[in-house]
């Protein structure tokens, strides 16, 4: 009977993954768009060419040192620490490294879609595997996987080129392998390798090493194999840092200590307590009780609690964690631990309650509880943001480029060879030099602005006229610069 139930859950998981894949294919837009998205793609294209430095695109007569440091620097880049007119990426190298082979398979237009879809499906399947390893029956493990898939956080970050879902998949893979670590050395080694890939994707995934170490066992042999598996990723990270920033321990983010403040902890924890049960279902409310009330082996309970606690403790003082609900995506790598721990406790609680109910009610009570948990999550999707708009909203950057052959900031750098001027970095002292350079070369000056950026025109040199729009993106031309570009008009 258990084998039949398990096989039925596996079949259901496969069907569910197939349906979720169709949903992702319809909605996804993992393309160069905003700062993060375009930053990853720009870095990936540099890697594909065997480079880490990109030439800065400047105007004649306006060298970089004549203006603010970031005048010619698109989002997702920073000036090269070595000086000169070159740029280096700011984002971790893991996702860009994954995009490179994906581009060989699917082309650059769909490389992000392929990477995100595969990692999204893998994360759901691994959440199911985690539940089984922790003692949940097949249907309950399936429910845990469904809760993760239905999370607005998970779907939101599965539809665009962000590192959250890949980081979640590799973190879960690391712990799943570590739990099996006592069955053979290859599992401890595999767990370390998953940590190393996750570390490249997002350096804070190194936190997973703590629960993984507890899972494989604290003996020197197992810990040594775990560390050995982590070496490739750490070595690659250090080599890339040295090539880009001149220091093996210097990342593109630079010094971020000022982003963490102990005074934010209480507010962030309160924010998490309000939002996480809505975004990961109310089942996570009882997750902390897994230590005392699940019947779980102490080692596995410690793994789940430590896994979740490491991420919550790290991000609690981070200034961005409680800015908006979607910033809780930083905690996604710990979501499988919270969900599985919550279901372990919920199953025990429901079992105790069901013992006092009539037989028909005992059979449907778990299903009702799981349905209620999913309903809370799904109820957030519409008021928070239309799921379809998440991925499809990124596609407007490409539509802008097809008209102007230009884009906003980092995406402009990816799609075109145009010189980029950051409007927020144009100092009055160099405005006249910029216009003189453009007029002398007969080059036009266009501004591509979102609605919240429209006031920037008041601070820019020259007289501006709106010449078109794509979706909510306005396109403006400076009459004091060179002649207008030719080409098609923007779509209505």
């Amino acid at each position: 009977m258990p084998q039949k139930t398990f096989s039925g859950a596996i079949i259901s998981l496969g069907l569910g993954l197939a349906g979720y894949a169709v949903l992702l294919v319809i909605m996804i837009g993992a393309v160069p768009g905003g700062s993060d998205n375009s930053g990853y793609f720009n870095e990936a294209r540099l890697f594909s060419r065997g480079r880490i430095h990109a030439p800065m695109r400047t105007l004649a007569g306006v060298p970089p040192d004549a203006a603010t440091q970031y005048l010619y620097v698109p989002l997702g880049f920073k000036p090269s620490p070595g000086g000169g007119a070159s740029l280096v990426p700011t984002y971790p190298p893991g996702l860009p490294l994954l995009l490179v082979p994906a581009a060989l398979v699917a082309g650059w237009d769909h490389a992000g879609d392929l990477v995100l879809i595969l990692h999204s499906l893998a994360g759901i399947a691994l959440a199911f595997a985690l539940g089984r390893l922790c003692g949940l029956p097949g249907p309950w493990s399936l429910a845990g996987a469904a809760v993760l898939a239905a999370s607005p956080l998970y779907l939101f970050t599965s539809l665009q080129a962000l590192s959250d879902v890949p980081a979640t998949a590799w973190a879960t893979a690391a712990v799943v392998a570590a739990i099996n670590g006592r069955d053979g050395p290859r599992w401890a080694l595999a767990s370390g390798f998953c940590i190393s890939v996750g570390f490249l994707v997002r350096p804070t995934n190194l936190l997973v090493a703590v629960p993984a170490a507890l899972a494989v066992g604290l003996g020197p042999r197992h810990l040594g194999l775990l560390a050995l598996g982590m070496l490739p990723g750490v070595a690659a990270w250090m080599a890339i840092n040295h090539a880009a920033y001149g220091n093996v321990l210097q990342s593109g983010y630079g010094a971020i200590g000022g982003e963490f403040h102990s005074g934010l902890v209480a507010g962030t924890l309160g924010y998490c307590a309000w939002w996480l049960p809505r975004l990961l279902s109310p089942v996570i409310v009882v997750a902390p009780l897994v230590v005392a009330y699940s019947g779980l082996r102490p080692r596995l309970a410690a793994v789940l609690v430590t896994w979740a606690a490491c991420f919550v403790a790290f991000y609690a003082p981070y200034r961005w964690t409680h800015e908006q609900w979607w910033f809780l995506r930083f905690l996604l790598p710990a979501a499988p631990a919270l969900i599985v721990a919550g279901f372990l406790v919920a199953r025990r609680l429901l079992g105790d309650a069901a013992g006092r109910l009539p037989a028909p009610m005992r059979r449907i009570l778990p299903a009702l509880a799981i349905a209620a948990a999913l309903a809370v999550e799904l109820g957030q999707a519409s008021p928070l943001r239309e799921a379809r708009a998440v991925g499809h909203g990124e596609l407007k950057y490409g539509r802008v480029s097809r008209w102007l052959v230009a884009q906003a900031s980092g995406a402009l750098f990816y799609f075109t060879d145009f010189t980029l001027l950051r409007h927020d970095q144009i100092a009055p002292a160099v405005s006249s030099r910029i216009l003189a350079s453009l007029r002398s070369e007969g080059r036009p000056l266009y501004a591509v602005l979102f609605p919240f950026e429209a006031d920037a025109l008041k601070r820019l040199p020259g007289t501006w006229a709106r010449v078109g729009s794509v979706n909510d993106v306005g396109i403006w031309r400076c009459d004091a610069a060179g002649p207008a570009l030719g080409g098609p008009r923007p779509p209505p």
Side-chain angles (χ1 to χ4, degrees):
M1 187 67 178
Q3 184 63 41
K4 180 180 178 181
T5 302
F6 177 64
S7 298
I10 288 287
I11 294 171
S12 298
L13 176 66
L15 293 174
L17 290 175
Y20 202 75
V22 171
L23 183 72
L24 293 179
V25 168
I26 293 172
M27 294 184 173
I28 200 165
V31 296
S35 174
D36 290 8
N37 318 71
S38 61
Y40 290 127
F41 272 91
N42 278 317
E43 189 171 357
R45 193 162 59 178
L46 286 174
F47 286 149
S48 72
R49 298 169 180 172
R51 297 163 52 192
I52 192 63
H53 292 259
M56 190 179 291
R57 304 168 188 172
T58 61
L59 292 174
V62 190
D65 57 2
T68 58
Q69 186 182 20
Y70 280 80
L71 177 65
Y72 297 114
V73 180
L75 298 178
F77 283 95
K78 63 192 298 184
S80 173
S86 66
L87 307 168
V88 288
T90 61
Y91 290 103
L95 183 56
L97 288 171
L98 293 169
L99 288 171
V100 174
L104 297 176
V105 175
W108 285 105
D109 287 347
H110 297 288
D113 297 342
L114 179 61
V115 170
L116 266 294
I117 289 173
L118 291 179
H119 280 87
S120 182
L121 298 178
I124 296 167
L126 286 163
F128 174 86
L130 178 69
R132 290 294 298 161
L133 287 171
C134 290
L136 282 176
W140 286 85
S141 296
L142 190 64
V147 162
L148 180 63
S151 168
L153 276 178
Y154 197 78
L155 182 59
F156 176 81
T157 52
S158 291
L159 297 176
Q160 49 188 314
L162 296 172
S163 64
D164 306 275
V165 165
T168 301
W170 287 103
T172 312
V175 177
V176 166
I179 292 173
N180 286 309
R182 296 190 180 189
D183 295 337
R186 67 186 185 280
W187 285 109
L189 198 63
S191 177
F193 178 76
C194 292
I195 294 172
S196 78
V197 177
F199 172 72
L200 283 172
V201 170
R202 179 177 287 173
T204 53
N205 258 38
L206 192 62
L207 295 169
V208 178
V210 179
L214 291 176
V216 299
L218 299 179
R221 182 167 179 263
H222 288 91
L223 291 180
L225 290 169
L226 188 71
L228 182 62
M230 293 167 57
L231 280 180
V234 174
W237 181 77
M238 295 174 72
I240 292 170
N241 286 347
H242 183 269
Y245 318 115
N247 188 321
V248 296
L249 298 179
Q250 179 67 59
S251 74
Y253 291 127
I256 61 171
E259 301 291 300
F260 292 82
H261 307 278
S262 59
L264 299 175
V265 172
T268 300
L269 292 179
Y271 193 78
C272 291
W274 171 253
W275 273 108
L276 286 181
R278 303 170 72 182
L279 299 173
L280 297 175
S281 90
V283 74
I284 70 165
V285 172
V286 296
L289 299 177
V290 71
V291 174
Y293 198 59
S294 69
L296 192 67
R297 287 172 291 174
R299 177 174 68 96
L300 293 180
V303 167
L304 295 176
V305 170
T306 305
W307 182 359
C310 283
F311 281 88
V312 172
F314 181 86
Y315 281 108
Y318 188 46
R319 64 167 293 200
W320 297 105
T321 307
H322 64 282
E323 285 292 308
Q324 295 287 346
W325 69 268
W326 56 83
F327 282 113
L328 291 175
R329 61 191 175 86
F330 298 138
L331 300 179
L332 261 184
L338 289 168
I339 293 169
V340 169
F343 270 108
L344 285 164
V345 176
R347 180 172 176 257
R348 175 73 178 271
L349 291 172
L350 287 173
D352 292 345
R356 297 186 292 272
L357 296 174
M361 192 63 183
R362 285 201 300 270
R363 287 193 291 268
I364 66 171
L365 185 60
L368 290 175
I370 292 169
L374 288 170
V376 170
E377 283 186 305
L378 294 174
Q380 303 306 310
S382 177
L384 290 176
R385 187 169 180 176
E386 289 289 339
R388 184 178 178 84
V390 176
H392 284 244
E394 294 296 298
L395 299 178
K396 63 187 171 189
Y397 292 88
R399 289 191 286 269
V400 172
S401 71
R402 286 194 294 272
W403 177 74
L404 188 60
V405 198
Q407 284 269 330
S409 195
L412 183 152
F413 196 86
Y414 179 86
F415 282 105
T416 78
D417 292 324
F418 286 1
T419 299
L420 169 69
L421 296 169
R422 286 266 297 271
H423 70 76
D424 59 331
Q425 300 292 320
I426 297 180
V430 298
S431 296
S432 59
R433 296 177 66 176
I434 291 172
L435 291 178
S437 176
L438 292 169
R439 283 194 294 265
S440 68
E441 297 185 10
R443 299 173 66 181
L445 179 62
Y446 282 80
V448 181
L449 302 172
F450 286 95
F452 67 87
E453 299 174 306
D455 287 345
L457 293 176
K458 300 175 183 178
R459 303 188 300 273
L460 297 179
T463 303
W464 294 84
R466 188 181 180 105
V467 294
S469 64
V470 176
N471 292 50
D472 60 340
V473 179
I475 303 172
W476 305 73
R477 183 170 60 83
C478 179
D479 292 333
L485 290 176
R489 304 301 299 169

